PDB file of all heavy atoms in Angstrom:
ATOM      1  N   GLY A 349       3.017  18.525  24.007  1.00 98.00           N
ATOM      2  CA  GLY A 349       4.472  18.514  24.132  1.00 98.00           C
ATOM      3  C   GLY A 349       5.003  19.784  24.749  1.00 98.00           C
ATOM      4  O   GLY A 349       4.253  20.731  25.022  1.00 98.00           O
ATOM      5  N   PRO A 350       6.318  19.827  24.982  1.00 98.00           N
ATOM      6  CA  PRO A 350       6.919  20.981  25.657  1.00 98.00           C
ATOM      7  C   PRO A 350       6.675  22.267  24.893  1.00 98.00           C
ATOM      8  O   PRO A 350       6.395  22.240  23.690  1.00 98.00           O
ATOM      9  CB  PRO A 350       8.413  20.635  25.675  1.00 98.00           C
ATOM     10  CG  PRO A 350       8.594  19.561  24.661  1.00 98.00           C
ATOM     11  CD  PRO A 350       7.305  18.834  24.557  1.00 98.00           C
ATOM     12  N   SER A 351       6.783  23.395  25.589  1.00 98.00           N
ATOM     13  CA  SER A 351       6.577  24.673  24.910  1.00 98.00           C
ATOM     14  C   SER A 351       7.660  24.854  23.838  1.00 98.00           C
ATOM     15  O   SER A 351       8.712  24.214  23.898  1.00 98.00           O
ATOM     16  CB  SER A 351       6.601  25.815  25.918  1.00 98.00           C
ATOM     17  OG  SER A 351       7.877  25.825  26.506  1.00 98.00           O
ATOM     18  N   ASP A 352       7.377  25.700  22.874  1.00 97.00           N
ATOM     19  CA  ASP A 352       8.254  25.798  21.696  1.00 97.00           C
ATOM     20  C   ASP A 352       9.713  26.057  22.076  1.00 97.00           C
ATOM     21  O   ASP A 352      10.630  25.501  21.480  1.00 97.00           O
ATOM     22  CB  ASP A 352       7.746  26.891  20.746  1.00 97.00           C
ATOM     23  CG  ASP A 352       6.394  26.509  20.151  1.00 97.00           C
ATOM     24  OD1 ASP A 352       5.976  25.336  20.340  1.00 97.00           O
ATOM     25  OD2 ASP A 352       5.747  27.367  19.524  1.00 97.00           O
ATOM     26  N   GLY A 353       9.904  26.854  23.110  1.00 96.00           N
ATOM     27  CA  GLY A 353      11.273  27.172  23.532  1.00 96.00           C
ATOM     28  C   GLY A 353      12.017  25.947  24.052  1.00 96.00           C
ATOM     29  O   GLY A 353      13.243  25.898  24.007  1.00 96.00           O
ATOM     30  N   GLN A 354      11.268  24.967  24.550  1.00 96.00           N
ATOM     31  CA  GLN A 354      11.892  23.761  25.122  1.00 96.00           C
ATOM     32  C   GLN A 354      11.858  22.567  24.160  1.00 96.00           C
ATOM     33  O   GLN A 354      12.413  21.513  24.471  1.00 96.00           O
ATOM     34  CB  GLN A 354      11.127  23.344  26.397  1.00 96.00           C
ATOM     35  CG  GLN A 354      11.058  24.396  27.479  1.00 96.00           C
ATOM     36  CD  GLN A 354      12.446  24.713  28.016  1.00 96.00           C
ATOM     37  OE1 GLN A 354      13.215  23.824  28.306  1.00 96.00           O
ATOM     38  NE2 GLN A 354      12.771  26.006  28.083  1.00 96.00           N
ATOM     39  N   SER A 355      11.177  22.732  23.051  1.00 97.00           N
ATOM     40  CA  SER A 355      10.997  21.599  22.126  1.00 97.00           C
ATOM     41  C   SER A 355      12.272  21.388  21.314  1.00 97.00           C
ATOM     42  O   SER A 355      12.605  22.208  20.460  1.00 97.00           O
ATOM     43  CB  SER A 355       9.799  21.885  21.212  1.00 97.00           C
ATOM     44  OG  SER A 355       9.761  20.951  20.170  1.00 97.00           O
ATOM     45  N   VAL A 356      12.955  20.289  21.572  1.00 96.00           N
ATOM     46  CA  VAL A 356      14.266  20.105  20.934  1.00 96.00           C
ATOM     47  C   VAL A 356      14.155  19.793  19.445  1.00 96.00           C
ATOM     48  O   VAL A 356      15.048  20.116  18.673  1.00 96.00           O
ATOM     49  CB  VAL A 356      15.096  18.981  21.615  1.00 96.00           C
ATOM     50  CG1 VAL A 356      15.656  19.423  22.932  1.00 96.00           C
ATOM     51  CG2 VAL A 356      14.297  17.699  21.795  1.00 96.00           C
ATOM     52  N   HIS A 357      13.058  19.165  19.040  1.00 97.00           N
ATOM     53  CA  HIS A 357      12.986  18.702  17.645  1.00 97.00           C
ATOM     54  C   HIS A 357      12.243  19.655  16.710  1.00 97.00           C
ATOM     55  O   HIS A 357      12.378  19.545  15.493  1.00 97.00           O
ATOM     56  CB  HIS A 357      12.277  17.350  17.576  1.00 97.00           C
ATOM     57  CG  HIS A 357      12.957  16.279  18.378  1.00 97.00           C
ATOM     58  ND1 HIS A 357      14.207  15.808  18.060  1.00 97.00           N
ATOM     59  CD2 HIS A 357      12.562  15.594  19.479  1.00 97.00           C
ATOM     60  CE1 HIS A 357      14.559  14.865  18.939  1.00 97.00           C
ATOM     61  NE2 HIS A 357      13.585  14.730  19.812  1.00 97.00           N
ATOM     62  N   SER A 358      11.406  20.549  17.277  1.00 95.00           N
ATOM     63  CA  SER A 358      10.465  21.297  16.430  1.00 95.00           C
ATOM     64  C   SER A 358      11.122  22.068  15.284  1.00 95.00           C
ATOM     65  O   SER A 358      10.651  21.983  14.150  1.00 95.00           O
ATOM     66  CB  SER A 358       9.650  22.284  17.267  1.00 95.00           C
ATOM     67  OG  SER A 358       8.624  21.604  17.929  1.00 95.00           O
ATOM     68  N   ALA A 359      12.189  22.789  15.578  1.00 94.00           N
ATOM     69  CA  ALA A 359      12.761  23.655  14.537  1.00 94.00           C
ATOM     70  C   ALA A 359      13.140  22.814  13.315  1.00 94.00           C
ATOM     71  O   ALA A 359      12.772  23.145  12.173  1.00 94.00           O
ATOM     72  CB  ALA A 359      13.974  24.401  15.080  1.00 94.00           C
ATOM     73  N   GLN A 360      13.819  21.694  13.563  1.00 96.00           N
ATOM     74  CA  GLN A 360      14.266  20.859  12.437  1.00 96.00           C
ATOM     75  C   GLN A 360      13.094  20.159  11.749  1.00 96.00           C
ATOM     76  O   GLN A 360      13.014  20.122  10.523  1.00 96.00           O
ATOM     77  CB  GLN A 360      15.282  19.835  12.944  1.00 96.00           C
ATOM     78  CG  GLN A 360      15.852  18.946  11.862  1.00 96.00           C
ATOM     79  CD  GLN A 360      16.614  19.698  10.778  1.00 96.00           C
ATOM     80  OE1 GLN A 360      17.765  20.033  10.939  1.00 96.00           O
ATOM     81  NE2 GLN A 360      15.945  19.967   9.653  1.00 96.00           N
ATOM     82  N   THR A 361      12.155  19.621  12.546  1.00 97.00           N
ATOM     83  CA  THR A 361      11.050  18.893  11.905  1.00 97.00           C
ATOM     84  C   THR A 361      10.135  19.853  11.125  1.00 97.00           C
ATOM     85  O   THR A 361       9.583  19.473  10.104  1.00 97.00           O
ATOM     86  CB  THR A 361      10.206  18.066  12.911  1.00 97.00           C
ATOM     87  OG1 THR A 361       9.929  18.858  14.041  1.00 97.00           O
ATOM     88  CG2 THR A 361      10.897  16.814  13.342  1.00 97.00           C
ATOM     89  N   LYS A 367       6.510  18.330  10.841  1.00 96.00           N
ATOM     90  CA  LYS A 367       5.525  19.087  11.636  1.00 96.00           C
ATOM     91  C   LYS A 367       5.236  20.378  10.869  1.00 96.00           C
ATOM     92  O   LYS A 367       6.140  20.959  10.284  1.00 96.00           O
ATOM     93  CB  LYS A 367       6.151  19.463  12.980  1.00 96.00           C
ATOM     94  CG  LYS A 367       5.831  18.517  14.119  1.00 96.00           C
ATOM     95  CD  LYS A 367       6.796  18.691  15.246  1.00 96.00           C
ATOM     96  CE  LYS A 367       6.222  19.480  16.391  1.00 96.00           C
ATOM     97  NZ  LYS A 367       7.012  19.248  17.645  1.00 96.00           N
ATOM     98  N   ASN A 371       4.114  23.143  18.716  1.00 98.00           N
ATOM     99  CA  ASN A 371       3.404  22.601  19.884  1.00 98.00           C
ATOM    100  C   ASN A 371       2.520  23.677  20.534  1.00 98.00           C
ATOM    101  O   ASN A 371       1.360  23.436  20.853  1.00 98.00           O
ATOM    102  CB  ASN A 371       4.404  22.093  20.934  1.00 98.00           C
ATOM    103  CG  ASN A 371       5.277  20.942  20.435  1.00 98.00           C
ATOM    104  OD1 ASN A 371       5.124  20.482  19.304  1.00 98.00           O
ATOM    105  ND2 ASN A 371       6.194  20.477  21.274  1.00 98.00           N
ATOM    106  N   TRP A 418       7.109  16.090  32.670  1.00 98.00           N
ATOM    107  CA  TRP A 418       8.374  15.364  32.467  1.00 98.00           C
ATOM    108  C   TRP A 418       8.460  14.130  33.354  1.00 98.00           C
ATOM    109  O   TRP A 418       9.085  13.139  33.005  1.00 98.00           O
ATOM    110  CB  TRP A 418       9.581  16.295  32.680  1.00 98.00           C
ATOM    111  CG  TRP A 418       9.696  17.283  31.553  1.00 98.00           C
ATOM    112  CD1 TRP A 418       9.588  18.640  31.620  1.00 98.00           C
ATOM    113  CD2 TRP A 418       9.907  16.981  30.149  1.00 98.00           C
ATOM    114  NE1 TRP A 418       9.714  19.219  30.363  1.00 98.00           N
ATOM    115  CE2 TRP A 418       9.911  18.215  29.449  1.00 98.00           C
ATOM    116  CE3 TRP A 418      10.075  15.800  29.425  1.00 98.00           C
ATOM    117  CZ2 TRP A 418      10.097  18.298  28.063  1.00 98.00           C
ATOM    118  CZ3 TRP A 418      10.254  15.882  28.031  1.00 98.00           C
ATOM    119  CH2 TRP A 418      10.266  17.111  27.380  1.00 98.00           C
TER     120      TRP A 418
END
Side-chain angles (χ1 to χ4, degrees):
S351 62
D352 294 350
Q354 302 296 313
S355 169
V356 285
H357 301 294
S358 281
Q360 182 61 82
T361 46
K367 264 162 102 161
N371 297 358
W418 289 116

